[in-house]
Amino acid sequence: MCGISGWISYERDLRGEQRTVDAMTETMDCRGPDDRGTWIGGPAALGHRRLAIIDLPGGRQPMTAGTPRGTVAIVYSGETYNFTELRAELGARGHTFTTDSDTEVVLHGYLEWGEDVARRLNGMYAFAIWDEREHKLVMIRDRMGIKPFYYYETPDGVLFGSEPKAILANPLARREVRLDGFREILAFVKTPGHAVWEGMREVEPGTVVTVTRTGVRRHVYWELESAEHTDDRDTTVARVRTLMDDIVRRQLVADVPLCTLLSGGLDSSAMTALAARQLAVSGERVRSFAVDFVGQTENFVADELRATPDTPFVHDVARASGTDHQDIVLDSHALADPEVRAKVIRARDLPMGFGDMDASLYLLFRAIREHSTVALSGESADEVFGGYLQFFDEDARNGSTFPWLGQTGRHFGTDDDSVLRHDFTDALDLRTYIGDSYATAVSGIRRLDTDSDFEFRMRRMSHLHLTRFVRVLLDRKDRASMATGLEVRVPFCDHRLVEYVYNTPWALKSFDGREKTLLREATADVLPRSVYDRVKSPYPSTQDPKYALALQAHAKELLADPAHRVFAIVDPERLRKAAEVESPQHTMASRRGLELTLDLAVWLDMYKPTLTLS
């Protein structure tokens, strides 16, 4: 795992721009603490920060290959899990290798197959190749969007990077956010390609972006497609298990310490148990980590989202699978620490307002990094197998908007609870933005002739979660982990599993009426009974009232500075009301309003963006 950056300028020789190239590259130092490198060849400059995972002495980047017609250079971030098979195939075609790294395999794959190399990769990746033979840049991102990748067109080329901060380090990039950018931040709909910053775009998942003197061309090499499912129940369950065994086996490959993220839920427990079983064959134990909060288990209060605390189930799995387990226990002071908030904002480049759920994830990863360099996560299983409440909510199933928005409003408040200024929210017109985005999102979902009305509604829900909602969570996990130099792998995002389960009828996904039945049955033999029977519980959030009180104190400090730029967005009177509410811990809308405001304030101070709010 690494951080990449680059600059293509067809009208200048970038050998005179080493300082700027270095500045862009160094913004990625957290993503790649082990090594750094740059390569400049006339109009092309590539930068790389390395987190060494496979072939520690080899695999340095940028990596180049000489050809009779010119140099081909690559900067690569991610992992290709089928690189050994590709290496063998390329070797049979006459390619020779000087390292054991997957990066060299991808580079030679490009030399052999060109842009079609993307179709042959199984993994999570974002990479850029400068092909001197044709004076073109090729940018490729993995199918599910696990690894982030951004670019910014300039008058004579393009800037690119793993994160916006790499691009923003170049003086050619404007630090401007307009109303449309704020719509994207606040709407929670994850528009494909949208990068919030004006002029910047994401390389969309499953897409190749090619830059030449004549401009930018995009083409899709993979998308989620509807197909008939012909397997019966037993065959389907067996196929899911076969896929999971193969996926976990591939993702356990690393030359550095590896662990699993264990929450005590079905997803992470199944993954951990499968990993433990596979490693036991060679006499190894899985190392597992879980997040908890001081006093959470002892003082837990059930609510509609979370019926049980995680820790007892975590420990059941750790015992059953024989993992070397450690709980990372966080307190309110750490969660509300302004320095932690600043690190999270720096990691994400944006004020997302996720509050303690972002802070705890960052702190968890920071603690894990002291012991491991790679972690396997259960992220995305809910989207793949249908684990969220909205999959069973008739209003969501039959609605005409993104199905998660009803649940979000129900648990975190509505527009009426917002701390934002009325004139700002009027200008945003989020209702229209969300409606237009939804219409675009569902327009490309193909209905099979065999789909009943109900089945197509469930197909539509699955598609929206797999192409919109999951990308929010993948980006969050990547940014928080890479900010600490930890690589997080997501087995449930393997495209083979996603394709197969997406096209499995809902009657098979939930044949007993419960969430994620298909996954539960496919891994039943490795799960403790307590986890098998457990109802879905989302990522934990602290219930300690001291956390909310700390937020209120920070908000009052902000209110003491009425000239702060945040008050162009936030209504001070509404913020004051949230800062003085008697029980903010149990008034979730007030708490979320405080968290969003504090995130906005830190972001404005840190990035100093130009705001265009009309």
Side-chain angles (χ1 to χ4, degrees), residues 83-240:
F83 80 97
T84 54
E85 295 99 316
L86 292 175
R87 180 188 177 100
E89 182 178 355
L90 290 164
R93 292 170 176 261
H95 292 259
T96 58
F97 298 89
T98 60
T99 76
D100 294 321
S101 73
D102 57 345
T103 302
E104 188 178 18
V105 172
V106 174
L107 177 57
H108 280 262
Y110 174 79
L111 294 175
E112 180 68 32
W113 299 301
E115 296 171 15
D116 280 345
V117 66
R119 302 179 190 277
R120 295 174 174 265
L121 305 180
N122 177 310
M124 56 178 189
Y125 45 83
F127 60 93
I129 293 176
W130 172 249
D131 190 336
E132 196 173 65
R133 300 170 301 180
E134 300 180 42
H135 278 239
K136 72 175 181 180
L137 177 74
V138 177
M139 297 182 283
I140 299 177
R141 190 177 182 195
D142 66 69
R143 295 168 178 83
M144 293 295 290
I146 304 167
K147 303 313 299 174
F149 202 178
Y150 297 84
Y151 66 100
Y152 186 104
E153 293 183 50
T154 65
D156 70 337
V158 72
L159 311 171
F160 69 84
S162 291
E163 299 177 3
K165 61 176 66 69
I167 293 169
L168 296 173
N170 190 303
L172 292 177
R174 304 192 312 277
R175 294 188 174 222
E176 180 183 5
V177 177
R178 298 183 181 178
L179 273 175
D180 209 48
F182 281 106
R183 291 183 183 110
E184 189 63 21
I185 291 173
L186 298 169
F188 205 52
V189 298
K190 196 64 180 81
T191 305
H194 205 304
V196 176
W197 296 93
E198 188 64 22
M200 194 181 298
R201 287 188 59 82
E202 282 189 319
V203 176
E204 294 184 33
T207 300
V208 178
V209 177
T210 305
V211 182
T212 64
R213 285 184 179 273
T214 58
V216 176
R217 177 178 61 86
R218 306 171 188 85
H219 80 264
V220 174
Y221 71 88
W222 182 89
E223 57 189 341
L224 193 58
E225 297 200 3
S226 303
E228 293 285 354
H229 183 87
T230 57
D231 293 341
D232 62 17
R233 180 195 293 185
D234 290 345
T235 305
T236 300
V237 170
R239 176 61 177 158
V240 169

Side-chain angles (χ1 to χ4, degrees), residues 1-2 34 50-56 78-79 253-257 373-374 485-487 489:
M1 196 69 67
C2 308
D34 297 330
R50 186 184 185 205
L51 176 62
I53 303 294
I54 293 174
D55 187 12
L56 305 190
E79 303 292 345
V253 175
D255 295 334
V256 292
T373 310
V374 175
L486 177 72
E487 173 179 294
R489 299 176 179 178

Side-chain angles (χ1 to χ4, degrees), residues 6 10 54-55 79 140 157 181 203 221 237 239 254 282 303 314 382 403 471 477 536 538 546 548:
Y10 287 106
I54 293 174
D55 187 12
E79 303 292 345
I140 299 177
V203 176
Y221 71 88
V237 170
R239 176 61 177 158
S282 57
D303 58 29
V314 166
D382 287 307
R471 294 178 188 176
K477 185 148 288 183
K536 159 72 182 173
K546 293 177 184 175

Side-chain angles (χ1 to χ4, degrees), residues 15 23 292 398 433 447 606:
R15 285 174 292 188
D292 197 6
N398 296 295
Y433 185 75
R447 178 173 182 166
M606 184 180 294

